[in-house]
Amino acid sequence: MATLKDVAKLANVDVSTVSRALNNTSYVHPDTKARIMAAVKELSYRPNVLAQGLRSGKRHTIALVVPKIGLTIYEDLAESIDEEARSHGYAILICHTGNDPVVEKECLNRLRNGFVDGIIIAPTGKNTRLLKDIQAGGMPVLQIIRKQESSISSVIGNYEEGAYSSTRYLYEKGCRSIGLVNGDLARMPYAARYRGYSRAIRELGLEDISVSEKNRKTSSFEYGYDCTDQMLDLHPQIDGILTAVDIQGMAALRVLKDRGQKVPEDVKVISLTGYSIGEKLETRLSSCELPSQEMGRKSVQMIIDQIEAPSGQKPTVQHLEFSASFVERETT
Amino acid sequence: MATLKDVAKLANVDVSTVSRALNNTSYVHPDTKARIMAAVKELSYRPNVLAQGLRSGKRHTIALVVPKIGLTIYEDLAESIDEEARSHGYAILICHTGNDPVVEKECLNRLRNGFVDGIIIAPTGKNTRLLKDIQAGGMPVLQIIRKQESSISSVIGNYEEGAYSSTRYLYEKGCRSIGLVNGDLARMPYAARYRGYSRAIRELGLEDISVSEKNRKTSSFEYGYDCTDQMLDLHPQIDGILTAVDIQGMAALRVLKDRGQKVPEDVKVISLTGYSIGEKLETRLSSCELPSQEMGRKSVQMIIDQIEAPSGQKPTVQHLEFSASFVERETT
DNA sequence: ATGTGCACTGCAAAAGATTGCATAGTTCAA
DNA sequence: TTGAACTATGCAATCTTTTGCAGTGCACAT
């Protein structure tokens, strides 16, 4: 790899002149510049980003730390974040933790060493202290989807509202026994979903039928299958099912098929965190959809604002909440 | 952020001693070491990876350049690559190009500037020259899924074999009119799939019914839907459908449902590049599955071998081909 | 003719970590 | 007692790029 030095030697000038010529940062004689450009081309010189980063302290890279890449809303988010970041001249480094706090910790510890300029994370919730430390150390951090700590900016959805209105919607459609397949209540969005659900249930005078297990991978098909199956064993009269995420909704559709119950005639199903897959299923899944494009874009803008803020100025902590919009498809 | 210098000052030694103490690279008196460690802890010092990288020329980061993250086999691959890389102390930087050669070019040009130690890419095929240049410039490159250039190492599947045996399998199951929903034949894996399919078709004395459009996003639901729909309009007698990828298979299932045709009774469906989603669909999709875990792992090992090879030694170009195994589910 | 300012260029320091070479002290064998 | 051999540490160069400072011409106005 050619360096500035090589170019300088070939063009017969000092490295500083080459640097100035390339960055248009000071006067350089046209002839000199031409010679330099020729040398650059001949050696196919490209500046070393490491050295640039070392000087400037900037890496132009943002980390995205998520529990899972595929079959979740993070799929859509990752794509829009990647796109938006690229348009601002930043690259995205994706890490997935599998919801394992140990992996998350390891990951964060690598990232804080100047690996990236900022971190966008859907935190497991077990490393909140570390996250605060990292932010205190001057590294911009942004929580996405899961808001675990209010001293760190966040971009999330209004899960409570979505769960509430979906429950009421099922009621209006005639459902009188509505179950919720949820995840670990200690984790933010699941708790919010439950709040919304139970508020509606109370108002409607229905029975609270919700399942959630701890210590299991919530965003898995198997989890969704088991929860739904178990719920239907206990409450065979159920005619409406809400699931926290799409993969659970897919699992619910399978369970119902396996049990010979028709969707939406016998049982209606809504996923509370829909993403692009819902539209593509054999029985298209009705869901509450967050504007993942916009959320991704906004997240990138927020973190870049923090990154590029003048160093003295402490950026204000900001919490953005997007409402989901209900998309009616074939399961309701 | 504390630096080596700060630690050195606090521990009252030279930076070089601190460096040696931390890296166990030479004799350091136990007392001195203890003092240094205390200082490290007090300042919560963490080495700056940029500076380390600049010295050593290593970034411990590998780029993964894929056309799409979600709803494709890249989803599974990305996860296994990420995992394997992390276990070797490398981070993965994911870029998605949306199959756009311009985006891909832009992306590669950023990456080659010392951004990463190596590149794993599923190339669009339009930047082969650039890719060769990058490799010639000393940056390890590995093609995955799509082998566009034989002078660059690759890890791919045996698509031809999979298509061939799947076609024959459908025949054995009683299908006598078998269609193939494929992608742009100019692109490697699609061409291979077609070869396998048409060989079997010829041997069986059946009619060659395959659709593929250029200039469209092949790995999209809409593409799959349109192709299948159009195919069935022209050949209503079709009783077996092969699709290149899962998302097309999902689309085919929708088309068949919309047309009131039963799967697998009226029409059987096989996806030629199955991944984890097939198992989770309402009608579980039979498919040829590549060992994506193993392919991911192997890819990382291969690229790290190249990265860490002694600089003088030119690593040999290696081509790995994995065979898919047929997984029978509900669509056959 | 002399000062002022502009155009152009080079020197050297800086960013943070690693490492070859030098030095100095200690131990032990010849 | 001389000199290996080893332990322990510091100095200074190195990786590549950027940038403050200084300096050299040259033109133009006074």
Side-chain angles (χ1 to χ4, degrees):
Chain A
M1 265 296 204
T3 70
L4 262 198
K5 221 177 182 174
D6 302 325
V7 176
K9 198 182 294 176
L10 187 60
N12 218 23
V13 289
D14 189 79
V15 285
S16 56
T17 306
V18 179
S19 173
R20 281 188 275 255
L22 292 175
N23 299 313
N24 290 316
T25 176
S26 166
Y27 305 102
V28 174
H29 193 91
D31 296 355
T32 315
K33 188 160 183 173
R35 247 178 25 248
I36 289 171
M37 288 315 189
V40 164
K41 193 155 191 183
E42 185 174 337
L43 299 170
S44 68
Y45 164 79
R46 325 195 124 261
N48 180 313
V49 280
L50 277 171
Q52 285 182 325
L54 183 57
R55 269 294 318 207
S56 67
K58 289 276 159 281
R59 315 274 332 269
H60 288 277
T61 306
I62 297 167
L64 175 64
V65 183
V66 290
K68 196 169 179 335
I69 302 173
L71 291 175
T72 66
I73 192 177
Y74 299 116
E75 193 177 302
D76 288 3
L77 279 171
E79 295 203 353
S80 82
I81 285 176
D82 190 50
E83 221 159 285
E84 180 73 12
R86 192 171 39 241
S87 81
H88 288 273
Y90 282 77
I92 290 293
L93 195 142
I94 301 185
C95 308
H96 78 115
T97 63
N99 250 328
D100 181 339
V102 180
V103 175
E104 187 184 45
K105 189 174 180 178
E106 221 175 82
C107 197
L108 288 172
N109 272 325
R110 292 202 64 201
L111 292 172
R112 68 187 308 190
N113 302 358
F115 229 85
V116 293
D117 298 325
I119 300 175
I120 300 179
I121 183 171
T124 60
K126 305 288 181 190
N127 292 305
T128 307
R129 183 57 192 274
L130 176 56
L131 230 38
K132 282 171 75 174
D133 275 4
I134 292 178
Q135 178 169 264
M139 166 91 69
V141 180
L142 176 72
Q143 300 173 97
I144 191 164
I145 297 295
R146 304 172 176 179
K147 177 178 155 196
Q148 301 280 0
E149 166 61 40
S150 60
S151 66
I152 301 175
S153 292
S154 65
V155 171
I156 59 167
N158 187 335
Y159 310 105
E160 179 168 346
E161 178 55 27
Y164 175 80
S165 59
S166 298
T167 310
R168 293 205 72 119
Y169 182 80
L170 285 180
Y171 184 85
E172 280 163 33
K173 279 280 197 168
C175 300
R176 289 298 175 266
S177 178
I178 302 174
L180 169 66
V181 175
N182 205 7
D184 183 356
L185 289 175
R187 225 175 275 153
M188 244 298 294
Y190 296 119
R193 288 189 192 102
Y194 178 68
R195 276 199 307 278
Y197 164 79
S198 70
R199 180 155 55 90
I201 287 292
R202 272 196 313 276
E203 287 177 14
L204 298 167
L206 301 181
E207 186 187 359
D208 179 327
I209 306 172
S210 57
V211 236
S212 65
E213 294 179 34
K214 278 195 159 199
N215 307 322
R216 276 195 65 184
K217 241 185 152 178
T218 308
S219 294
S220 72
F221 186 84
E222 292 71 25
Y223 176 90
Y225 194 96
D226 293 347
C227 284
T228 311
D229 204 39
Q230 176 191 325
M231 199 166 79
L232 288 172
D233 277 346
L234 290 167
H235 309 273
Q237 83 287 0
I238 280 179
D239 53 6
I241 296 178
L242 296 171
T243 66
V245 296
D246 275 2
I247 187 80
Q248 295 167 349
M250 291 169 67
L253 293 179
R254 283 285 320 192
V255 173
L256 292 167
K257 190 182 183 194
D258 290 350
R259 288 175 168 252
Q261 296 196 265
K262 289 229 174 324
V263 176
E265 295 83 353
D266 304 335
V267 182
K268 305 198 194 314
V269 180
I270 295 179
S271 160
L272 298 176
T273 320
Y275 78 104
S276 54
I277 203 175
E279 183 66 31
K280 291 158 185 148
L281 297 174
E282 201 175 336
T283 308
R284 288 155 53 238
L285 181 61
S286 299
S287 62
C288 286
E289 295 201 355
L290 290 171
S292 52
Q293 282 259 173
E294 203 184 331
M295 287 172 77
R297 260 204 301 274
K298 200 68 199 168
S299 304
V300 172
Q301 285 162 14
M302 278 173 67
I303 198 121
I304 291 182
D305 279 354
Q306 281 188 60
I307 291 170
E308 296 181 350
S311 59
Q313 181 188 324
K314 207 158 194 175
T316 47
V317 174
Q318 242 188 100
H319 297 285
L320 246 59
E321 193 172 286
F322 287 82
S323 344
S325 49
F326 180 69
V327 182
E328 168 114 61
R329 299 209 181 86
E330 294 172 356
T331 57
T332 48
Chain B
M1 265 299 203
T3 70
L4 259 198
K5 224 178 182 171
D6 302 325
V7 175
K9 198 182 295 173
L10 188 61
N12 219 22
V13 289
D14 190 79
V15 285
S16 56
T17 306
V18 179
S19 172
R20 281 188 275 253
L22 292 176
N23 299 312
N24 290 316
T25 175
S26 167
Y27 306 102
V28 174
H29 193 91
D31 296 355
T32 316
K33 190 160 182 174
R35 247 176 29 246
I36 290 172
M37 288 317 189
V40 163
K41 194 154 192 185
E42 184 173 338
L43 299 171
S44 69
Y45 163 80
R46 325 194 124 261
N48 181 312
V49 280
L50 277 170
Q52 284 181 325
L54 182 56
R55 260 306 310 216
S56 67
K58 290 278 160 278
R59 311 274 331 271
H60 289 278
T61 306
I62 297 167
L64 175 64
V65 183
V66 290
K68 195 168 181 336
I69 302 174
L71 290 177
T72 67
I73 192 176
Y74 299 117
E75 195 177 301
D76 287 3
L77 279 172
E79 296 205 352
S80 83
I81 285 175
D82 190 49
E83 220 159 287
E84 179 74 10
R86 192 173 37 241
S87 81
H88 288 273
Y90 282 76
I92 290 293
L93 196 142
I94 301 185
C95 309
H96 78 115
T97 63
N99 251 328
D100 182 340
V102 179
V103 176
E104 186 184 44
K105 189 174 179 179
E106 223 174 82
C107 197
L108 288 172
N109 272 323
R110 292 202 64 200
L111 292 173
R112 69 188 305 191
N113 301 359
F115 230 86
V116 293
D117 298 324
I119 300 175
I120 299 179
I121 183 172
T124 62
K126 305 289 183 190
N127 291 307
T128 306
R129 183 59 191 274
L130 176 56
L131 231 36
K132 282 171 75 173
D133 275 5
I134 292 179
Q135 177 169 265
M139 166 91 69
V141 180
L142 176 71
Q143 299 172 101
I144 190 163
I145 298 295
R146 305 171 175 179
K147 176 177 154 195
Q148 300 283 0
E149 166 61 39
S150 59
S151 65
I152 302 176
S153 291
S154 65
V155 170
I156 60 168
N158 188 336
Y159 310 105
E160 179 167 347
E161 179 56 28
Y164 175 80
S165 58
S166 298
T167 310
R168 293 205 73 120
Y169 182 80
L170 285 180
Y171 184 85
E172 281 164 31
K173 280 279 197 166
C175 300
R176 289 299 175 269
S177 178
I178 302 173
L180 169 67
V181 175
N182 206 5
D184 183 355
L185 289 176
R187 224 175 280 153
M188 244 297 296
Y190 296 118
R193 289 188 192 101
Y194 178 68
R195 276 199 307 277
Y197 164 80
S198 73
R199 180 154 55 89
I201 287 292
R202 273 197 312 276
E203 287 177 13
L204 298 168
L206 302 180
E207 185 187 0
D208 180 326
I209 306 171
S210 58
V211 237
S212 65
E213 294 179 34
K214 277 193 160 200
N215 308 322
R216 276 195 68 183
K217 240 185 151 178
T218 307
S219 294
S220 73
F221 186 85
E222 293 70 27
Y223 177 91
Y225 194 97
D226 294 348
C227 284
T228 311
D229 204 39
Q230 175 191 324
M231 202 167 78
L232 287 172
D233 277 346
L234 290 167
H235 310 272
Q237 82 287 0
I238 279 179
D239 53 8
I241 296 178
L242 296 170
T243 66
V245 295
D246 275 1
I247 187 80
Q248 295 167 350
M250 289 169 68
L253 293 179
R254 285 282 321 190
V255 173
L256 292 167
K257 189 181 182 192
D258 290 350
R259 289 176 167 249
Q261 295 196 267
K262 290 229 174 320
V263 177
E265 295 82 355
D266 303 338
V267 182
K268 304 196 195 315
V269 180
I270 294 179
S271 160
L272 297 176
T273 320
Y275 78 105
S276 54
I277 202 174
E279 184 66 31
K280 291 159 185 145
L281 297 174
E282 201 174 333
T283 308
R284 288 155 53 236
L285 181 60
S286 299
S287 62
C288 286
E289 295 201 356
L290 290 170
S292 53
Q293 280 260 173
E294 202 184 333
M295 287 172 77
R297 260 204 300 275
K298 200 69 198 167
S299 304
V300 172
Q301 286 162 12
M302 278 172 68
I303 198 118
I304 291 183
D305 279 353
Q306 280 187 60
I307 291 169
E308 296 181 350
S311 61
Q313 180 188 324
K314 205 158 196 176
T316 46
V317 174
Q318 239 188 103
H319 297 286
L320 245 59
E321 194 171 285
F322 287 82
S323 351
S325 50
F326 179 69
V327 182
E328 168 116 62
R329 299 207 183 87
E330 295 173 356
T331 58
T332 48

